[in-house]
């Protein structure tokens, strides 16, 4: 359980670590030094670079270096349409069509309308701060999950002699689905 009065720097450290671990589990190229960054190292980097806690690197996928992802953290509150447009432009400039926004609050109606427009060209995911602070795969009651490739899915369906419709379903809004970036028709 996260304490309400968690120090900001500790919160940012946890947020950044869990974010990079999530991308690593999704198959993105995360350097070991980023994954193994200690709190004291993080603290020193934040002192040296004022906005270090808010900056996320553009990262390529292991299987496809053209598949890049970039994350943005808004600790000020609401993501408005202007902020969204600026960050989408930054992603476009860096040839990244996958974007993760981390925010504290729910999105306004105008922002949701703008998001639906931008989602035509970008894969945009929205996480609330609390969803990243708590790493669902590290909870002792959560079993191991793996996204299945279409080939493995076919083999499993064939070996158990079942149809797609007979398998259990998991919602896209489920924390594990969001964590792994599952899409509709993918199997976990």
């Amino acid at each position: 359980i996260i304490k309400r009065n968690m120090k900001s720097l500790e919160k940012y450290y946890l947020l950044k670590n869990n974010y990079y671990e999530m991308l690593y589990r999704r198959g993105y190229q995360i350097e070991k030094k980023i994954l193994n960054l200690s709190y004291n190292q993080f603290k020193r980097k934040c002192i040296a670079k004022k906005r270090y806690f808010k900056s996320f690197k553009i990262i390529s996928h292991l299987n496809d270096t053209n598949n890049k992802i970039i994350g943005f953290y808004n600790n000020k509150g609401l993501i408005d349409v202007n902020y969204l447009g600026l960050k989408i432009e930054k992603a476009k400039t860096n040839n990244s069509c996958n974007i993760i926004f981390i925010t504290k609050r729910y999105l306004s109606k105008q922002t949701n309308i703008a998001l639906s427009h931008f989602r035509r060209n970008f894969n945009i995911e929205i996480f609330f701060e609390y969803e990243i602070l708590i790493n669902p795969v590290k909870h002792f009651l959560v079993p191991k999950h793996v996204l299945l490739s279409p080939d493995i899915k076919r083999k499993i369906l064939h070996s158990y002699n079942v149809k797609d419709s007979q398998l259990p379903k998991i919602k896209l809004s489920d924390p594990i689905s969001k964590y792994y970036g599952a899409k509709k028709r993918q199997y976990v």
Side-chain angles (χ1 to χ4, degrees), residues 125-140:
E125 298 176 67
I126 305 291
F127 283 90
F128 295 105
E129 197 177 70
Y130 70 88
E131 293 176 305
I132 300 290
L133 287 172
I134 299 169
N135 189 336
V137 298
K138 288 188 175 179
H139 192 281
F140 73 98

Side-chain angles (χ1 to χ4, degrees), residues 116-127:
S116 64
H117 170 72
F118 287 125
R119 282 189 167 135
R120 294 178 192 150
N121 300 316
F122 296 93
N123 176 28
I124 301 172
E125 298 176 67
I126 305 291
F127 283 90

Side-chain angles (χ1 to χ4, degrees), residues 137-154:
V137 298
K138 288 188 175 179
H139 192 281
F140 73 98
L141 290 176
V142 176
K144 183 179 179 183
H145 290 77
V146 177
L147 281 180
L148 300 180
S149 69
D151 292 338
I152 294 174
K153 179 185 125 183
R154 271 193 296 279

